[in-house]
Structure formats: structure tokens, C-alpha cells
Amino acid sequence: MSKGSSQRIAEALDKFQQEIVDDWIKEQFAATSARRDLMNEARLAEQSREFLATFRTAAQSYNFTDIEATEWSKPRALLGEISRSRAEQGYTPAETATFVFSLKQPLFTIMRRLSGKDYEALAEDVWTITVVLDKLGLYTTEVYQKTREAVIKRQQEELTELSTPVVKLWEGVLLVPLIGTLDSARTGHVMSALLEQIAQTGSAFAILDITGVPSVDTQTAQHLLKTVAATRLMGADCIISGVRPVIAQTIVTLGLTLDVITKSSIADALAEAIKRLGYTIARS
Amino acid sequence: MHSEVRDTLSIVTEEDSVRVRQVTREKAVEAGFNLVAQTKFVTAASELARNTLKWGGGGTVRFEAVDASRGRGLRLVFEDHGPGIPDVELALTDGFSTSSGLGMGLGGAKRLVDEFDIESRVGVGTKVSITMWR
């Protein structure tokens, strides 16, 4: 990359900033990826103007190859912000990256006009611009991806907590309706929530309902047994309910023994707990 | 006997094993298994996916539709390039575990399915295939 090309582009940005930005904004509105439903024109124009200003400043360094360099920190920060907000608003990655990629056209137009008939110089300029804008475009995609991953992670955490409530069913009887896959993370949540409730309420029984657990394999069984063991250490007893016929068959075939009271339904489990607590239920 | 590969999934993370369970369930329903067979097969797949991840350091699972004289069925082939199992007989013994697990996984998986086949070579990897007939 000769210095000539970098210099030409930097000067063009300096001289024709207004023209480029107008052209660019027009380009973005014309593109099918313009999301008028998500962003108004004034906001997009403002973002474009802001970005081009930082781009122009960074270009004065004549460094168009290494966007990790400090002179590019401002455009990168701005792009990061734009990508993050777009990811959260529901733009697609393509729509997000188009913001940067659509700047190529206006820049090419200017460089072509300035080049006169010097096609070699023009080819060089086009290449320089392509390299830097591609890198910036990929950067927006990267930030977009990370933002989405953060969203998914947050949702996963919320889901784990949501799906493990501890409910007081009767005086001295707690219910934990387990739903979904019982992995280590969820077992950890269940256990701490349950033990805390046992300590608070002084409950003597905890019913672990596995109606909503799709399959019980050795790891699930081990997690259940750990929860039972911890409950016993707290001085309470466990009843596992919601053992469906297919699950019962599977557990037996696996060769597992659940050394704990099991009942097929929550109703049976509650009746058992009440009986053991010394109550009798009578129809009046 | 004729078999046809329907799908291949990689098992690299914990989420992948959840995906293996889901896909196995789908394929088992598609294959027309009854609820007991579905549940047994999914549970066996779950054990093997975990083994692939935990002991094999990750690998793949291949879903095959098999057609033989005895009928049609579904086959899952788990493959890893991990350290391999020195003593397969011992690994299949209930209660044998080199970790804090229950040691029922491999033997349990074998009992859950109609056909079970394991090949393992130390330093090369392990290949386990399970088949369930309709």
C-alpha cells in the first residue's frame, strides 16, 4: 500500500466530507436494508455524520490497514455502540454490517472523479478503501454477535431461575416442580433454593416433582439423589413424585435404585406427607 | 442390511448433548417408536453423548435409518478421538466409575437398546453404536 493512495483518500475525505456523507445517507435510505420501522431518518443521518467525522480523523493517520491501532479507536468505539444498539433493536447482522459497507459506493465515486484517467491510482484507492471498510464491517458483525450472545446468556440465566420455584404446599410440606433438563446448574439452583426454604419454614417434607423432566438418565438420577441427600442433612425428608411409567421402566433398565419414597403423582405425595406428619384427612 | 445417514451432529459443549437428546427424540418419533422405546433410546443417547463429551473430549454422533430383514430401525453412532477405554468389559460393569459418577451409564445404555456395539482403542478413540428396532 503506497502512501500515495492513503494520502489521496485522506485528502478527499477532508475536502468532500459533506458530499460523501450526503451521498452515503441517500445510499442507506435507498437500500432495502433500511429499517424505517426501527430507526428514523434523523437518527440515521446523525449516526452517519458522526461516524464519517471520526473516520476522517482516523484517515489522517494514513493507516488504512490496522484498525486495531489507537487512531482507529474512536471509529471502532462508535461502530461498537451502533452495532450493540442495533443488535438489541432486532436488526439482522447483514443490516448492521451494511451501515459500513454502504460507505464504499460514495467513496468510490469521489475517488473515481478525482483520479481523472489514472486507473492504476484508482484501483489502488479502491483497494485501500475496501480493505479498511471490510475490516470495520467485520468488526460490527463481531460486536453484534457478542451482544446477541450476552442476550442469550442472560435469558438462559433467567430461565434457570424461573423454572425452579419452591412452593409451600402445606404446613411443613414444600413442593419443587422440576421442569426441563436437570443439569448441574439447575440442580445447584434447586438445591440452594430448597435448602433455604427448608431452613426458613422448618418444613419436614420436600416433594420433588419430576413430571416436567423429559428423561431421567444416570446424571439426572445422581443430581436428584444429591438433592435428596442434602435435604436429609437438613433434617427433612424427600418424596419424588411424577414418576411416569416410561420413566420408571427406564430407571429400572438403567439399573438405578432411588433410595427414596416415590409416588406417581403430587396428590399421592402430599397425602403421604400429611399422613407422616400425623394429620388425618376426613370428609365432613 | 441397508443403512442411510440422516444427520450428523457434533458434540463439543453441554448444549450439544441437549441438542442430541432433542434430535434423537424427533428421529425416534419419526421412526414410529412407541413411548417406551422413545424414552429408552433418548436416555441411552443421553448417556453416550455425555461419555463422548466427558471422556472422549468431544466427538460426533451420526443418525442412521437402518433397513434389515427384521424390520426398520434407528441407529446412532457416537465417535470420538479421545484416549480410548483400556478395558471395555470393566467399563461396562455396573458401578465401575473412574470419576464421581454412578458408573451405570455405559452398562445402562447397553440394556436400554436392542443392539449395542463398542469398539475402543487406547490412544485412538472410541466408537459406540446403538440400534433400536421398531
Side-chain angles (χ1 to χ4, degrees), chain A residues 202-249:
Chain A
S203 296
F205 280 98
I207 301 172
L208 298 176
D209 184 66
I210 58 167
T211 310
V213 178
S215 65
V216 175
D217 61 7
T218 57
Q219 185 180 277
T220 314
Q222 194 178 15
H223 284 146
L224 278 174
L225 292 175
K226 271 186 191 162
T227 310
V228 171
T231 311
R232 283 185 180 152
L233 280 176
M234 297 282 297
D237 218 339
C238 257
I239 302 175
I240 294 179
S241 73
V243 183
R244 283 167 285 144
V246 284
I247 299 283
Q249 262 174 286

Side-chain angles (χ1 to χ4, degrees), chain A residues 144-201:
Chain A
Y144 179 94
Q145 181 88 15
K146 278 192 190 134
T147 311
R148 291 304 279 253
E149 275 165 16
V151 170
I152 292 171
K153 192 148 187 294
R154 200 179 61 222
Q155 286 173 340
Q156 263 176 348
E157 281 164 9
E158 277 171 14
L159 210 61
T160 316
E161 281 181 35
L162 269 183
S163 50
T164 51
V166 179
V167 188
K168 185 178 163 187
L169 212 54
W170 198 268
E171 196 58 49
V173 185
L174 295 174
L175 169 69
V176 189
L178 297 166
I179 291 162
T181 309
L182 256 196
D183 53 15
S184 312
R186 176 160 300 168
T187 313
H189 266 285
V190 171
M191 223 191 270
S192 56
L194 177 60
L195 298 183
E196 212 170 280
Q197 281 291 314
I198 290 173
Q200 256 178 33
T201 60

Side-chain angles (χ1 to χ4, degrees), chain A residues 47-275:
Chain A
Q47 279 184 350
S48 307
R49 229 169 267 128
E50 244 179 280
F51 177 73
L52 197 69
T54 60
F55 185 78
R56 174 190 149 206
T57 312
Q60 306 308 317
S61 67
Y62 297 163
N63 165 17
F64 283 93
T65 46
D66 180 18
I67 63 158
E68 301 293 328
T70 43
E71 53 264 30
W72 285 97
S73 62
K74 272 198 181 144
R76 270 192 296 127
L78 192 60
L79 271 186
E81 210 178 288
I82 292 171
S83 302
R84 263 190 293 279
S85 78
R86 287 188 173 200
E88 273 161 7
Q89 285 171 49
Y91 278 74
T92 68
E95 285 161 356
T96 308
T98 303
F99 175 71
V100 171
F101 290 143
S102 60
L103 179 55
K104 282 184 186 178
Q105 183 70 44
L107 283 178
F108 289 171
T109 309
I110 291 286
M111 297 321 291
R112 189 168 63 198
R113 204 170 66 208
L114 294 177
S115 72
K117 291 274 183 236
D118 189 351
Y119 294 125
E120 215 160 286
L122 177 61
E124 217 179 314
D125 296 347
V126 165
W127 176 245
T128 309
I129 293 167
T130 301
V131 167
V132 70
L133 288 184
D134 283 358
K135 281 184 182 165
L136 290 169
L138 288 176
Y139 176 72
T140 62
T141 309
E142 220 171 89
V143 173
Y144 179 94
Q145 181 88 15
K146 278 192 190 134
T147 311
R148 291 304 279 253
E149 275 165 16
V151 170
I152 292 171
K153 192 148 187 294
R154 200 179 61 222
Q155 286 173 340
Q156 263 176 348
E157 281 164 9
E158 277 171 14
L159 210 61
T160 316
E161 281 181 35
L162 269 183
S163 50
T164 51
V166 179
V167 188
K168 185 178 163 187
L169 212 54
W170 198 268
E171 196 58 49
V173 185
L174 295 174
L175 169 69
V176 189
L178 297 166
I179 291 162
T181 309
L182 256 196
D183 53 15
S184 312
R186 176 160 300 168
T187 313
H189 266 285
V190 171
M191 223 191 270
S192 56
L194 177 60
L195 298 183
E196 212 170 280
Q197 281 291 314
I198 290 173
Q200 256 178 33
T201 60
S203 296
F205 280 98
I207 301 172
L208 298 176
D209 184 66
I210 58 167
T211 310
V213 178
S215 65
V216 175
D217 61 7
T218 57
Q219 185 180 277
T220 314
Q222 194 178 15
H223 284 146
L224 278 174
L225 292 175
K226 271 186 191 162
T227 310
V228 171
T231 311
R232 283 185 180 152
L233 280 176
M234 297 282 297
D237 218 339
C238 257
I239 302 175
I240 294 179
S241 73
V243 183
R244 283 167 285 144
V246 284
I247 299 283
Q249 262 174 286
T250 313
I251 290 178
V252 171
T253 315
L254 270 174
L256 301 172
T257 41
L258 296 180
D259 179 24
V260 56
I261 317 162
T262 54
K263 293 285 169 191
S264 64
S265 70
I266 298 182
D268 292 341
L270 180 60
E272 177 74 23
I274 288 174
K275 195 178 90 191

